Amino acid sequence: MSWRTASKVKWLELLPGVSEDEPLASRTSFGIGGPADFFVEMSRPQAIEEVIDGCVERGIPYLLLGAGTNLLIADAGVEGLVLRVVNREHQVDGREVRAGAGLKMMRLARIAADAGLRGFEFGIGIPGTVGGAVYQNAGCWGKELREVLVEVEGYMPGAGAKTWSPADLQFGYRTSALREGRLKGGLVIEAKFQLERGDGEAAKALMAKLTKERNETQPIKTKNSGSVFKNPPGDSAGRLVQAAGLKGAREGNAVVSTLHGNFIVNEGGATAVEVRRLIERIQAEVRRRFNLELETEVEMVGRFKG
Ligand code: EPU
């Protein structure tokens, strides 16, 4: 059933800067996905909060979008409103760093190093935004966001502004209470991190080394969504995909990377259906060979059938 009624559409049409049937593929790192019924970019927290409250009151579905890096958007697009959060303000105060949800993790890693702080170098391996990184406790090279996070200024539709501690956020491996717990539907406005004072040049050298390593082991110059699957406890999804003989496996223009088995690459014009078919093929083969369930890390959103 469609969410559309004349009054909801009218309300959305009046949002400043809104566009209708806005293509989303170019706003995701996969380069895949149909249009948003309505789309808006916003940076001012209060404006974001008002719009989300307006959607909740009216029963309009909404999706918060950051850098679109861990996302597979359906070919038929996304219903309701897609709100791209672009608040990128940041502030360094001693060892404390505050960053808006829309700031890229990679940018924040450089900002921290420039300020002579250590401990955020892992951020250089995370293509998404601060908001997205909190949402799924993003990590790289054995470090996770929760290790440096002090608190989050958030907003819960209907309940107003909130300050969430790491305990409130119930972080797990690539997840938080925002992704699948009691804070679902909440939004990240700003995150506060506590880092170590140190040698900024050493931080930059480490980031350069880690980036080189990532370049050699992951297909980072391609259109992809990052890791497709979570690593099963004690193992690596990439290793399992390789052992199942699926590197290079293809559905249309979606291909399992030959460099790293846990990446699916859009060679150009791949559809979400093709990617999903490839994901299901991998899951079935890994189940058959190793009796293991590979859980997806990539989030599928929008009008998927079935
Ligand atoms: N491996 C293979 N074949 C492959 C890929 C990997 O045998 O095709 C082996 C590697 O040789 C290594 C082991 O599997 O012995 C682990 O591989 P890797 O070091 O590449 O790390 P990963 O577990 O595959 C994780 C994160 C990445 C993060 C890297 C680097 C997950 C699902 N993935 O990958 O995060 O960049 O470590 O720290 O936790 C992401 O979350 O999107 C992501 C890219």
Side-chain angles (χ1 to χ4, degrees), residues 19 39 89 102 142 146 164 174-175 179 195 203 212-213 219 221 229 236 245 250 256 260 265 275 293 305:
S19 53
F39 176 85
E89 69 284 355
R146 67 169 149 195
W164 294 312
R174 297 293 191 274
T175 192
R179 186 169 184 174
L195 305 176
K212 183 167 174 286
E213 206 179 284
K221 296 212 169 75
F229 301 104
S236 152
R250 165 187 297 277
V256 177
H260 196 300
V265 172
V275 172
E293 278 309 312
K305 290 190 194 78

Side-chain angles (χ1 to χ4, degrees), residues 4-300:
R4 273 177 193 267
T5 63
S7 67
K8 291 175 191 177
V9 167
K10 183 95 213 140
W11 181 79
L12 285 164
E13 281 172 350
L14 290 173
L15 293 178
V18 80
S19 53
E20 209 171 333
D21 282 325
E22 180 73 19
L24 292 175
S26 62
R27 294 194 164 85
T28 71
S29 60
F30 236 150
I32 295 175
D37 290 346
F38 287 86
F39 176 85
V40 72
E41 279 190 355
M42 302 188 106
S43 60
R44 203 165 56 81
Q46 208 193 336
I48 295 171
E49 292 164 11
E50 279 169 19
V51 168
I52 296 299
D53 274 344
C55 286
V56 172
E57 275 162 31
R58 290 169 181 79
I60 299 170
Y62 66 91
L63 172 74
L64 296 172
L65 187 69
T69 52
N70 194 40
L71 219 49
L72 179 61
I73 292 181
D75 301 315
V78 180
E79 56 177 11
L81 179 69
V82 173
L83 194 161
R84 184 156 180 260
V85 176
V86 291
N87 56 323
R88 302 186 182 110
E89 69 284 355
H90 52 86
Q91 196 188 337
V92 180
D93 184 6
R95 292 167 53 209
E96 194 182 288
V97 179
R98 290 175 166 275
L103 190 70
K104 291 266 185 81
M105 288 288 283
M106 289 182 171
R107 172 109 176 80
L108 188 56
R110 291 198 188 92
I111 290 166
D114 283 340
L117 293 169
R118 301 291 308 261
F120 209 83
E121 295 90 337
F122 75 102
I124 204 73
I126 298 173
T129 59
V130 166
V134 171
Y135 174 78
Q136 60 173 309
N137 184 27
C140 205
W141 301 296
K143 271 214 132 197
E144 292 177 335
L145 186 103
R146 67 169 149 195
E147 294 169 51
V148 287
L149 186 85
V150 178
E151 67 183 27
V152 167
E153 299 298 338
Y155 188 78
M156 188 50 90
K162 299 277 171 199
T163 301
W164 294 312
S165 70
D168 294 330
L169 289 157
Q170 296 177 318
F171 289 119
Y173 170 54
R174 297 293 191 274
T175 192
S176 76
L178 291 163
R179 186 169 184 174
E180 46 198 353
R182 60 178 194 85
L183 301 180
K184 223 170 161 173
L187 61 137
V188 176
I189 300 291
E190 183 184 283
K192 186 165 113 186
F193 305 97
Q194 177 114 317
L195 305 176
E196 298 301 319
R197 262 186 237 286
D199 177 356
E201 290 312 308
K204 285 180 204 165
L206 177 59
M207 292 195 297
K209 177 177 161 286
L210 293 173
T211 300
K212 183 167 174 286
E213 206 179 284
R214 201 165 144 257
N215 243 314
E216 287 162 0
T217 56
Q218 298 179 3
I220 64 174
K221 296 212 169 75
T222 66
K223 287 187 170 31
N224 68 76
S225 66
S227 294
V228 174
F229 301 104
K230 294 181 183 177
N231 283 335
D235 209 336
S236 152
R239 190 198 71 76
L240 288 162
V241 173
Q242 179 169 350
L246 287 169
K247 276 183 158 181
R250 165 187 297 277
E251 289 286 339
N253 291 319
V255 183
V256 177
S257 167
T258 48
L259 191 57
H260 196 300
N262 200 11
F263 283 73
I264 290 178
V265 172
N266 170 11
E267 286 193 336
T271 63
V273 163
E274 287 166 353
V275 172
R276 199 162 78 154
R277 227 181 271 144
L278 199 48
I279 288 175
E280 287 167 358
R281 231 173 95 191
I282 294 168
Q283 287 172 321
E285 189 61 11
V286 168
R287 194 180 302 127
R288 192 180 71 79
R289 290 203 192 210
F290 309 115
N291 195 27
L292 266 172
E293 278 309 312
L294 282 181
E295 252 182 68
T296 47
E297 174 182 323
V298 62
E299 196 159 325
M300 297 183 207

